[in-house]
Amino acid sequence: MREQTQTAPEVDPIGIEGLDEILGGGLPRNRLYLVHGDPGTGKTTLSLQFLLEGARRGERGLYVTLSETGSELMGVARSHGWKLDNITIYDVQGDEQHLKPEDEYTAFHPSEVELGSTVQALLDEVEKVNPRRVVVDSLSEMRLLARDPLRYRRQILALKHYFLTRGCTFLLLDDPTTKVGEHQFQTLAHGALVLERISPEYGRERRRLQVVKMRGVDFDGGYHDFRIRRGGLVVYPRLVAAAHAKDFKPERITSDLPELDALLDGGPTRGTANLIMGPAGCGKSTLCTQYALAAAKRGEKVALFTFDERLETLMERTQGLGMHLQPFIDSGKITISQIDPASLSPGEFVCLVRNSVEHDKASVVVIDSLNGYLNAMPGEKFLLIQMHELLTYLAKYGVTTWMVIAQHGLVGPGPEAPIDLSYLADTVLLLRYFEHSGRVLKALSVVKKRGGRHEDSIREFQMSAAGIRVGAPLVQFEGVLSGTPRFTGGAGSLLGERDGHR
């Protein structure tokens, strides 16, 4: 957890739960801050939430707009279902004196007059309202009026000293469209937040923020995903596994199938990460479902996240295999979340997993599949880092994790996974197709189990209307590790009649 010091400053919460968590509670009080980002990244929404949180605490708030009109700002608030009755909105450019003919300058450059009048109008409004929280939108207008970087810096420095003497927490919004004196303000601000919007080649845009500077605060660095929804920004703090821990009892997790448990010497240990690999259609998801169903029957809670399969298809498939999930779904023992990789950010998915563990008390998490999860990430290296942190977090909470990864190709030598995550898993189960007596069958083996024994044999794996069946060890079987398993024994059915074979 973040260390607390005796000299920790008083803070003003922003009113955005995830962002306040990143900052250790909020912004240090009576300081000046920069909120920087391209148009449309959420600067206005964030600043309105900051003022609304102040109003909820009985503090006066002032929003000074230099670019948008007051009516446009009210429209933004209405789109989120907010009322700004307790917040003063001052539209500097809306003052009709700027439209009078006598305000046309001849002897002086407009910047020499307008900057001074704009700043004076702002100060007059502050004197009248006497706010505790102030937002100025945006610095781009003041930067253009100043023209000269030195003059701009001096003006901002003067504003900083003025607001500090009045006991205000002061947010200045800025965008990078104007390059004059681009970095002048960051050296003067007590802290700076940068908001970004990323547009992938396919799918909805992603947004993320970064605290690039915050004096005197042990904040969580790096990028944090967020989304703009009706009701404001929702921030998903980057997961730091080292900040989480929970006591739990290490014990074997059984599948209710004796032959399958024998393969793993009684089953995997609670708090481990388990990976099931194999080509499409070989039963990876069904195997995960078996472990999930066994956990639910023991009274545990299971969270299943499916990226590839529709909920209707999943229910139809499991019902056809004699796995009746619906009673456990109705009782809340099993929750199934269908994930759309095209609209999901990595941080949002981690937040869903954390919520299922910390609030819903899930002790088993199923991710089906990592192929779909990979599609939600901007690159392979980010998946590895994110997955490592997520699995470490789940292990610290004693959660047993089951992951599915589909390998490319159905038969033939060397089906390969799109990414190698086997080194992150404590247990790796391998499913393969093989030919026997003119039929395509399935083989199951354990190729890795960290910290424990496991069978080095290969067993036949079968799915039917009666459920899953795992055969006895096959001693006359070779070639599984080469990717082309081959049975060298006699003819005949290995597991008996296959009525309802799927």
Side-chain angles (χ1 to χ4, degrees):
M1 300 298 290
R2 183 185 284 104
E3 295 182 1
Q4 299 295 328
T5 64
Q6 294 181 351
T7 59
E10 291 186 280
V11 298
D12 286 329
I14 297 177
I16 302 173
E17 183 179 354
L19 184 53
D20 286 331
E21 178 184 335
I22 293 167
L23 295 171
L27 300 171
R29 187 168 295 173
N30 304 337
R31 294 292 184 268
L32 185 147
Y33 301 95
L34 169 69
V35 180
H36 184 89
D38 287 313
T41 52
K43 301 186 300 296
T44 300
T45 304
L46 183 150
S47 58
L48 285 175
Q49 288 181 265
F50 170 72
L51 294 180
L52 287 167
E53 176 64 17
R56 191 182 68 82
R57 295 170 176 267
E59 301 171 353
R60 293 181 180 178
L62 171 63
Y63 195 107
V64 180
T65 173
L66 300 171
S67 53
E68 288 185 283
T69 65
S71 61
E72 288 176 323
L73 198 61
M74 294 298 293
V76 173
R78 284 194 298 269
S79 70
H80 288 290
W82 297 332
K83 293 183 178 180
L84 305 181
D85 299 340
N86 297 322
I87 297 173
T88 301
I89 299 176
Y90 180 52
D91 182 0
V92 177
Q93 301 302 324
D95 194 326
E96 62 180 6
Q97 66 176 345
H98 295 283
L99 301 178
K100 294 179 180 179
E102 55 266 31
D103 285 338
E104 297 294 329
Y105 313 115
T106 55
F108 301 97
H109 191 279
S111 65
E112 299 180 43
V113 180
E114 289 188 13
L115 179 60
S117 63
T118 297
V119 172
Q120 188 58 51
L122 188 157
L123 299 182
D124 291 343
E125 189 68 18
V126 170
E127 293 285 346
K128 182 173 67 174
V129 177
N130 191 27
R132 264 282 295 117
R133 301 189 181 204
V134 180
V135 173
V136 174
D137 182 8
S138 71
L139 278 179
S140 299
E141 302 298 326
M142 297 184 65
R143 189 188 293 114
L144 288 170
L145 290 174
R147 298 180 68 222
D148 179 71
L150 178 59
R151 188 182 182 200
Y152 169 67
R153 181 181 177 86
R154 286 178 175 175
Q155 187 66 76
I156 296 300
L157 186 59
L159 282 175
K160 174 182 176 180
H161 289 303
Y162 171 78
F163 281 104
L164 291 185
T165 60
R166 296 193 62 88
C168 295
T169 302
F170 186 29
L171 264 59
L172 291 180
L173 311 188
D174 195 16
D175 65 69
T177 55
T178 307
K179 301 299 181 183
V180 180
E182 182 177 359
H183 301 292
Q184 293 293 318
F185 179 64
Q186 288 198 24
T187 60
L188 300 177
H190 191 78
L193 304 176
V194 175
L195 279 61
E196 298 181 4
R197 181 179 57 189
I198 303 171
S199 299
E201 294 184 2
Y202 181 80
R204 67 181 304 162
E205 73 280 356
R206 313 278 173 82
R207 288 181 169 88
R208 63 183 186 179
L209 63 83
Q210 182 183 20
V211 182
V212 297
K213 174 184 178 181
M214 195 63 60
R215 292 171 180 157
V217 174
D218 183 20
F219 61 87
D220 290 336
Y223 288 106
H224 308 271
D225 295 326
F226 74 94
R227 178 174 288 190
I228 302 177
R229 293 177 173 172
R230 178 175 172 82
L233 268 64
V234 181
V235 178
Y236 309 105
R238 181 176 59 84
L239 179 62
V240 180
H244 302 271
K246 181 182 178 182
D247 293 332
F248 65 94
K249 179 182 178 181
E251 57 184 346
R252 298 293 186 187
I253 303 299
T254 61
S255 65
D256 289 347
L257 296 176
E259 294 83 4
L260 179 57
D261 293 334
L263 260 178
L264 291 167
D265 191 33
T269 306
R270 186 176 299 279
T272 57
N274 307 281
L275 178 65
I276 302 178
M277 304 173 62
C282 63
K284 302 181 299 297
S285 299
T286 301
L287 197 55
C288 283
T289 305
Q290 178 65 36
Y291 277 100
L293 194 58
K297 290 178 179 178
R298 293 193 298 268
E300 300 181 45
K301 290 191 174 182
V302 179
L304 194 158
F305 300 93
T306 173
F307 285 82
D308 308 323
E309 194 172 20
R310 293 187 304 110
L311 294 180
E312 295 81 5
T313 305
L314 186 152
M315 296 302 296
E316 182 181 356
R317 173 177 59 80
T318 53
Q319 187 72 21
L321 293 172
M323 298 178 173
H324 305 294
L325 301 181
Q326 195 61 52
F328 298 100
I329 295 175
D330 295 339
S331 66
K333 294 298 181 183
I334 296 178
T335 58
I336 303 176
S337 302
Q338 185 172 358
I339 307 298
D340 180 9
S343 63
L344 183 81
S345 68
E348 188 173 356
F349 174 68
V350 169
C351 185
L352 290 174
V353 175
R354 287 186 61 183
N355 184 69
S356 67
V357 172
E358 297 176 23
H359 296 91
D360 299 336
K361 308 302 179 184
S363 60
V364 176
V365 168
V366 178
I367 302 175
D368 185 10
S369 68
L370 291 175
N371 304 73
Y373 185 41
L374 174 61
N375 293 331
M377 302 291 290
E380 176 180 322
K381 60 181 179 180
F382 300 113
L383 172 64
L384 293 174
I385 297 171
Q386 183 103 3
M387 208 62 211
H388 179 273
E389 203 73 11
L390 179 59
L391 294 177
T392 302
Y393 160 81
L394 292 171
K396 286 178 174 290
Y397 264 85
V399 175
T400 306
T401 308
W402 289 95
M403 303 172 289
V404 169
I405 188 165
Q407 296 176 297
H408 296 157
L410 294 177
V411 295
E416 296 181 356
I419 187 171
D420 183 16
L421 284 173
S422 58
Y423 75 97
L424 292 179
D426 298 293
T427 305
V428 178
L429 280 73
L430 184 66
L431 284 161
R432 283 284 188 265
Y433 291 109
F434 71 100
E435 181 183 356
H436 173 65
S437 300
R439 306 187 68 172
V440 177
L441 307 179
K442 303 175 184 70
L444 173 64
S445 59
V446 179
V447 295
K448 174 186 177 182
K449 186 183 179 187
R450 185 178 289 152
R453 297 173 57 253
H454 66 85
E455 279 190 11
D456 57 5
S457 61
I458 300 168
R459 295 173 180 258
E460 187 188 3
F461 179 78
Q462 182 190 128
M463 298 178 292
S464 69
I468 293 176
R469 295 178 65 191
V470 178
L474 301 175
V475 295
Q476 296 174 309
F477 195 73
E478 62 183 28
V480 65
L481 295 181
S482 68
T484 55
R486 186 166 59 91
F487 183 70
T488 60
S493 177
L494 299 177
L495 276 172
E497 294 300 323
R498 286 176 167 74
D499 295 333
H501 177 70
R502 296 175 65 87

